[in-house]
């Protein structure tokens, strides 16, 4: 009997929502999530490229990736494999082989609250991967673990089916139910910030956000 707890896959996020978020910066999204703590402490290991997709969540014991292997059997195009590894960095949870599998299945990327290895394979790739550290030591493959349950990534809860967005500044997640209003708020902030930058270039900015001097 498997010691991995499998749960049903969540609905995939509407592709139109994901597309609308491809140009949204994570700081702007974070500002409009009431500046809640969010995911912190992870950094990008890939060469470049935006991460946008649906959270497929995995919980593992420290240094063990059996549940991640099983989650890859379920991954759909556009899924982000979000792994709660408890922040442990004593052993890598994913490396080049698992990256290749995930990429071949159309996964959108990895978010790992733990360590990776084969760092150069990620560094020379545009397949998004966020993690705490890199280490040469490989994982155990004994379990236990769970798939598609709420997980904690650095103290922030990520639910199966959440929207995941990542860029050079980090990763944010949120429920798809708030996406339409969030996107609207993000666009409004983008317009305001563009106006401020234009004022600065034209010498009309007086140091108060949203205020202008006479032309």
């Amino acid at each position: 009997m498997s010691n991995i707890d499998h749960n049903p896959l969540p609905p995939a996020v509407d592709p139109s929502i994901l597309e609308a978020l491809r140009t949204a910066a994570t700081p702007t999204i974070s500002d409009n999530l009431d500046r809640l703590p969010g995911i912190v402490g992870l950094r990008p290991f890939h060469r470049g490229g935006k991460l946008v997709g649906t959270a497929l969540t995995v919980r593992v014991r420290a240094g063990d990736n059996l549940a991640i292997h099983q989650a890859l059997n379920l991954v759909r195009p556009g899924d982000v494999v979000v792994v709660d590894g408890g922040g442990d960095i004593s052993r890598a949870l994913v490396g080049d082989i698992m990256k290749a599998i995930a990429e071949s299945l159309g996964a959108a990327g990895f978010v790992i609250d733990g360590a990776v290895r084969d760092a150069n394979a990620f560094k020379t790739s545009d397949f998004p991967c966020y993690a705490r550290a890199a280490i040469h030591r490989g994982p155990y493959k004994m379990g236990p673990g769970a798939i598609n349950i709420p997980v904690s990534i650095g103290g922030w809860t990520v639910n199966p089916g959440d929207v995941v967005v990542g860029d050079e500044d980090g990763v944010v997640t949120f429920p798809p139910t708030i996406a339409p209003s969030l996107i609207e708020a993000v666009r409004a902030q983008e317009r305001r910030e563009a106006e401020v930058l234009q004022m600065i270039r034209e010498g009309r900015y007086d140091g108060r956000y949203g205020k202008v001097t006479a032309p």
Side-chain angles (χ1 to χ4, degrees):
M1 179 180 295
S2 172
N3 60 354
I4 305 299
D5 180 18
H6 290 258
N7 295 282
L9 283 167
V13 175
D14 185 327
S16 66
I17 289 174
L18 299 180
E19 191 59 33
L21 290 163
R22 289 196 184 279
T23 58
T26 57
T28 310
I29 296 172
S30 181
D31 287 350
N32 289 282
L33 289 171
D34 298 323
R35 301 180 191 265
L36 292 169
I39 293 175
V40 295
L42 307 189
R43 63 183 178 90
F45 277 81
H46 55 293
R47 178 174 55 194
K50 188 71 171 281
L51 171 64
V52 184
T54 303
L56 191 168
T57 59
V58 186
R59 181 185 295 158
V60 301
R61 77 179 176 102
D64 190 295
N65 73 356
L66 179 62
I68 307 173
H69 276 284
Q70 295 190 14
L72 290 178
N73 293 327
L74 306 173
V75 90
R76 304 161 298 189
D79 280 345
V80 180
V81 181
V82 179
V83 180
D84 175 0
D88 179 79
I89 58 171
S90 64
R91 292 185 179 275
L93 293 174
V94 300
D96 194 15
I97 296 296
M98 296 184 78
K99 168 186 168 298
I101 294 170
E103 222 172 345
S104 72
L105 295 170
F110 287 140
V111 174
I112 310 291
D113 192 6
V116 300
R117 69 176 185 175
D118 305 320
N120 192 59
F122 287 103
K123 184 173 68 175
T124 56
S125 168
D126 292 329
F127 181 74
C129 177
Y130 295 81
R132 290 198 177 274
I135 191 171
H136 58 85
R137 298 175 68 191
Y140 301 108
K141 301 182 187 300
M142 297 181 294
I147 300 170
N148 287 318
I149 60 167
V151 296
S152 176
I153 307 295
W156 178 253
T157 300
V158 181
N159 290 295
D162 275 357
V163 181
V164 183
V165 182
D167 59 18
E168 295 85 352
D169 289 301
V171 180
V172 294
T173 70
F174 52 90
T177 52
I178 71 168
S181 60
L182 178 61
I183 291 168
E184 185 176 337
V186 165
R187 295 291 178 250
Q189 181 169 329
E190 288 172 342
R191 289 191 294 270
R192 292 195 303 272
E193 292 182 351
E195 290 170 3
V196 170
L197 289 170
Q198 185 63 27
M199 289 182 239
I200 294 169
R201 285 191 289 268
E202 295 173 355
R204 297 187 297 116
Y205 182 64
D206 70 355
R208 292 176 292 169
Y209 185 75
K211 303 294 184 180
V212 296
T213 58

